[in-house]
Amino acid sequence: HAIRALGRRVDSGLDIVGVPTSFQSRELAREAGIPLTSLAEAGVDVAIDGADEVADGDLIKGGGAAHAREKIVDASADRFVVVADPTKVSATLSQPVPVAVLSAARTTVAESVRELGGDPELRRAERKDGPIVTDNGNLVLDCAFGDIAAPAALADRLAGLPGVVEHGLFVGLVDAIHVGSEDGVEILRP
């Protein structure tokens, strides 16, 4: 919705350039008429992104398997704004955490996740044999930890595992969360 809304604003004269984080967002932005560039070519004033789950300003992202690129862009932005619907807001993060891994490290990372108390599952592709492969060529392990009482500590532990490219815990990055519903938009601050 945000990309389409920005496209309408570009049609009305808004002067922006977008930095897409996935194949899907790139295609939708092109379709909407938003000029694009890369992170290497331009800084990011505002990153606008969705989330799979939001709790106390921390996020789980990666349902679309683009969380590595998203985290790079979101962390480099001057301001990071999340848009979500009320079903994404929780008291505690508890969804499985997507972990992008080098294919050669899948089994060793899975074992390390188990040692951290997680239950890793290789994400399988729909309508094709085999696993999901990210835009960067990595595999994704969806790692269930139950309620995540200390997201920052888990994020640090996952980031330190050899073979992990990036994980879907976005801790301490968000500036504002816009929760949209039929009744309007509520803005949450971390």
Side-chain angles (χ1 to χ4, degrees):
H1 294 292
I3 292 172
R4 287 186 185 97
L6 285 170
R8 290 189 295 274
R9 297 278 312 275
V10 166
D11 286 345
S12 298
L14 179 65
D15 184 22
I16 62 168
V17 177
V19 177
T21 56
S22 68
F23 176 82
Q24 293 92 336
S25 64
R26 181 181 311 103
E27 293 300 303
L28 184 55
R30 284 181 178 154
E31 182 182 303
I34 298 171
L36 300 176
T37 190
S38 69
L39 186 58
E41 297 294 321
V44 177
D45 297 320
V46 178
I48 303 170
D49 212 341
D52 299 320
E53 188 174 29
V54 175
D56 294 325
D58 295 327
L59 316 172
I60 292 179
K61 293 182 51 53
H67 52 286
R69 290 184 184 184
E70 290 169 338
K71 192 177 283 184
I72 292 166
V73 170
D74 297 345
S76 68
D78 294 338
R79 184 167 165 71
F80 175 31
V81 177
V82 172
V83 292
D85 67 65
T87 65
K88 307 292 183 175
V89 179
S90 301
T92 304
L93 295 177
S94 61
Q95 291 188 9
V97 177
V99 178
V101 300
L102 299 172
S103 60
R106 178 179 61 91
T107 56
T108 57
V109 170
E111 182 56 37
S112 295
V113 165
R114 286 185 197 93
E115 290 171 6
L116 294 175
D119 182 18
E121 183 176 323
L122 180 65
R123 188 180 299 177
R124 299 274 176 195
E126 293 182 23
R127 300 188 299 165
K128 83 168 199 112
D129 291 334
I132 289 284
V133 177
T134 70
D135 289 353
N136 296 325
N138 304 118
L139 301 178
V140 177
L141 296 174
D142 289 314
C143 303
F145 290 94
D147 287 348
I148 302 172
L154 180 58
D156 288 345
R157 301 282 304 272
L158 290 171
L161 297 178
V164 168
V165 174
E166 192 54 80
H167 56 76
L169 286 168
F170 285 50
V171 177
L173 295 176
V174 176
D175 292 299
I177 301 161
H178 293 234
V179 181
S181 68
E182 292 179 15
D183 299 329
V185 176
E186 179 183 7
I187 300 175
L188 309 175
R189 306 270 181 217

